[in-house]
Amino acid sequence: MSVVGHAPPPFFKRGPAPLVRLLFFVSLSLVLLVADLRFRTLEWVRLAVATAAWPLQRATGMPIDAASDFGAYLARQSTLLKESEEFHRRQLETANLLLRQRHLEQENIRLRALLDMRARQPVEGRIAEILYATRDPFSRRVIIDKGSQHGISAGQAVVDDVGVIGQVVRVFPLTSEVLLLTDKDQAIPVEVQRNGLRAILAGAGAGTMELRFQAANTEVQVGDILVTSGLDGVYLPGLPVAKVVKVDRDSTHSFARITCVPLAGVERNGLALVLSRRAAMPPQPDDLENADDPAAQGTRTKRKAR
């Protein structure tokens, strides 16, 4: 209700009309654009705003940068792990040939003049991963991820890129149990690489081995390398096994006490190579010719009787 002579006050306080505001701000924008383009009058304002907004910009970009760096790190780590595993696999695949090379070289020197020397047969292998060690603290056994489903059988030799690790003693469908060289129940026929002396190497526990039943004056020295002799029909001849680290020659005892340490990573490596069984050597031509000769058979029978 209005008083006589006075207009009622407006309900909302109104300013300039919207069209007037639009024209004002458009004109101001055009003036600022022309002034900045011609005279660079807003350069200091732009620099000040950029400087003030830089910490905020870095703070907002840090999560994205961190996620990108973390993804790149994981990618590089995965690539390096794959390359390392592939390199180790290739190294194990050629371990059979590398381990026997030195032995074959020495054998070729001794047997170069023998034309009827039997050629050594190549033996294939299967790479296996060591899953875990058994819970028995008094034994040295490990479990590998290959079993009867992968062609593994009891008695196969297990090596790495340096030498012999042990022997498969128990086989399951998907896993197998390997008896390590350092176990007290393990024994392996070996020979001294320097002079060809044959002996039996047995596990002594605690990462060591013993060369048993050797006379006090035996020709074994500290530093000698022991390799498999192959007489047991399980291990290939010439595979590095252990190194002599201590020789105790006590005159009060009949045998010398010879302590050795394995050359291979018996209790360190995560991958191993399971060698297939040795195939029987083919009969020699002389044996085939004498197979039907009764006189030759009688001669062999007499030799066996002697």
Side-chain angles (χ1 to χ4, degrees):
M1 181 175 185
S2 61
V3 183
V4 178
H6 295 276
F11 189 76
F12 294 104
K13 184 177 181 180
R14 297 182 178 181
L19 182 58
V20 176
R21 293 181 181 181
L22 177 61
L23 292 175
F24 173 76
F25 286 112
V26 169
S27 301
L28 181 61
S29 299
L30 291 175
V31 171
L32 292 177
L33 286 174
V34 173
D36 185 52
L37 182 62
R38 287 282 186 176
F39 308 105
R40 301 287 182 179
T41 56
L42 299 180
E43 187 67 25
W44 63 274
V45 178
R46 188 179 297 107
L47 293 176
V49 173
T51 303
W54 173 252
L56 180 61
Q57 181 181 359
R58 292 296 300 168
T60 54
M62 286 180 62
I64 299 177
D65 295 340
S68 178
D69 294 342
F70 184 69
Y73 170 78
L74 292 180
R76 290 194 300 268
Q77 189 76 2
S78 177
T79 303
L80 291 176
L81 289 177
K82 290 181 180 179
E83 292 179 354
S84 177
E85 183 178 357
E86 182 65 21
F87 176 76
H88 202 176
R89 287 181 181 275
R90 291 180 180 178
Q91 193 176 21
L92 285 175
E93 288 175 356
T94 58
N96 184 23
L97 297 177
L98 294 176
L99 293 177
R100 300 176 60 194
Q101 180 178 1
R102 181 178 300 176
H103 179 78
L104 291 177
E105 290 177 354
Q106 295 181 355
E107 191 174 64
N108 287 334
I109 295 175
R110 295 194 303 264
L111 306 178
R112 193 182 300 273
L114 300 180
L115 300 179
D116 58 344
M117 182 184 65
R118 298 181 180 183
R120 295 187 178 276
Q121 297 180 348
V123 177
E124 298 180 354
R126 183 177 295 274
I127 296 177
E129 181 180 359
I130 298 177
L131 300 178
Y132 56 88
T134 57
R135 298 181 179 180
D136 188 358
F138 300 102
S139 66
R140 294 292 185 270
R141 300 169 184 247
V142 294
I143 305 299
I144 60 176
D145 64 344
K146 295 293 186 294
S148 59
Q149 297 295 329
H150 306 90
I152 305 299
S153 59
Q156 289 185 246
V158 182
V159 302
D160 65 358
D161 58 325
V162 178
V164 179
I165 291 179
Q167 180 182 4
V168 177
V169 293
R170 186 178 299 175
V171 180
F172 303 99
L174 298 178
T175 59
S176 300
E177 183 176 324
V178 177
L179 182 66
L180 301 179
L181 291 178
T182 54
D183 191 273
K184 293 183 178 180
D185 295 332
Q186 176 71 303
I188 176 174
V190 297
E191 65 179 23
V192 180
Q193 192 177 46
R194 177 174 54 85
N195 53 19
L197 178 66
R198 294 175 181 173
I200 298 296
L201 186 65
T208 60
M209 309 176 71
E210 292 181 354
L211 202 61
R212 296 180 177 176
F213 310 118
Q214 293 297 309
N217 59 348
T218 184
E219 297 181 3
V220 178
Q221 303 175 2
V222 174
D224 281 344
I225 301 298
L226 306 179
V227 298
T228 53
S229 62
L231 297 180
D232 57 349
V234 176
Y235 297 97
L236 293 171
L239 299 178
V241 180
K243 179 180 180 181
V244 179
V245 295
K246 183 179 180 181
V247 179
D248 187 7
R249 306 179 189 273
D250 192 351
S251 58
T252 59
H253 297 83
S254 301
F255 301 107
R257 184 173 183 180
I258 304 174
T259 305
C260 309
V261 293
L263 294 174
V266 175
E267 300 181 7
R268 298 190 304 270
N269 287 339
L271 292 176
L273 184 67
V274 183
L275 300 180
S276 59
R277 287 183 174 275
R278 297 174 58 184
M281 295 296 293
Q284 295 300 298
D286 296 340
D287 298 337
L288 295 177
E289 293 176 358
N290 298 330
D292 299 330
D293 188 357
Q297 292 180 1
T299 303
R300 289 197 299 269
T301 304
K302 293 178 179 179
R303 289 178 179 177
K304 291 181 180 178
R306 292 178 182 177

